Amino acid sequence: MDLDIPRPVADMIDAANRFDTDDFMAPFAPDAMVNDRHRQFWGVDAIRAWCEIEITGDHVTITPVDVIHHYGDVIVTAEVDGDYDKSDLPPVLVLQFYLSLRAGKIVQCMLLPVGGRKLSKATETSEAATPYADPVPTGLPG
């Protein structure tokens, strides 16, 4: 299945699946930002440290299942597996990688669970907003 993944993103995914930190870092711009679980990693030094522990260090594999091109950015939906603590996770972890590319480099990557994150406590505001939230569409034309 051809998912039309831009080369820098495909290179990042391939490197993750080979547990190769240097190749994982190659597509990132020097001042890129990664946001994983609401933690921000700015610049290649911080992203490399995160990668060495939580991507290549945890032997994370990324299997894309869908790609959406959205106003020049790309959203990759992927099954993610690895040697990390899975005690509070679903049997198959599916994340969306929201990526911004500029001049052939990844400048921003945000990792979010499909459907958003669980709120620790339902509030009047979060419950009121829930009916208005739409799922991320799939298969939109680029």
Side-chain angles (χ1 to χ4, degrees), residues 127-135:
E127 287 181 359
T130 301
Y132 302 104
D134 287 331

Side-chain angles (χ1 to χ4, degrees), residues 45-114:
D45 292 339
I47 296 169
R48 176 178 288 278
W50 164 78
C51 174
E52 288 174 341
I53 295 168
E54 298 187 30
I55 302 297
T56 58
D58 279 345
H59 299 105
V60 167
T61 58
I62 302 168
T63 305
V65 296
D66 192 29
V67 176
I68 298 171
H69 293 268
H70 185 71
Y71 293 98
D73 293 332
V74 63
I75 304 166
V76 176
T77 302
E79 294 178 2
V80 178
D81 201 2
D83 298 332
Y84 49 83
D85 180 9
K86 299 175 185 170
S87 58
D88 291 334
L89 297 174
V92 177
L93 178 61
V94 180
L95 296 179
Q96 288 179 311
F97 294 72
Y98 291 78
L99 298 124
S100 297
L101 304 167
R102 303 295 183 268
K105 291 289 190 177
I106 298 169
V107 296
Q108 179 173 269
C109 175
M110 296 188 297
L111 288 72
L112 297 171
V114 171

